[in-house]
Amino acid sequence: MKDAAHAHRGVYGISVMSELSGVGPQTLRLYERRGLLTPARTSGGTRRYSAADVDKLRRITALIGDGINLTGIGVILSLETENAILAARIAQLSETAGDTPPEVTPETVQPSSLV
């Protein structure tokens, strides 16, 4: 748990984040305005990016490279986050019940369960 907290601790300023990622400061600000990145802020309002933000920015850059627009990237990131939360919840419930979670594949999902 300590590693997870450390990964989300804002330590990089915008210029360092720009240098680490190769993405310009104005583009980082645009991603923030669009809700794709949410850096921590100091009491003075300075942006502080975390290691998790660096990873997310790499994902954003990869999706842009695949030709996906910023709106689509927002949807993809939201769905990926939701999927990770649900997977963790399934693992937690399975652990509590002492079961192994069933394997979920596109073939085992009923279309009516997607509505």
Side-chain angles (χ1 to χ4, degrees), residues 18-38:
S18 178
E19 191 174 319
L20 285 173
S21 65
V23 175
Q26 290 299 331
T27 303
L28 293 172
R29 290 182 186 102
L30 170 67
Y31 293 167
E32 184 180 356
R33 281 193 307 274
R34 296 287 180 98
L36 300 178
L37 288 174
T38 51

Side-chain angles (χ1 to χ4, degrees), residues 33-90:
R33 281 193 307 274
R34 296 287 180 98
L36 300 178
L37 288 174
T38 51
R41 297 279 186 152
T42 65
S43 58
T46 303
R47 292 170 179 85
R48 291 290 178 207
Y49 294 92
S50 67
D53 291 326
V54 173
D55 292 340
K56 189 178 227 183
L57 184 57
R58 286 186 183 123
R59 180 71 175 129
I60 292 167
T61 303
L63 291 169
I64 287 172
D66 290 340
I68 300 171
N69 66 26
L70 296 183
T71 302
I73 291 171
V75 171
I76 289 169
L77 294 176
S78 176
L79 290 171
E80 287 176 347
T81 299
E82 184 178 340
N83 187 42
I85 291 167
L86 292 172
R89 182 70 176 140
I90 289 169

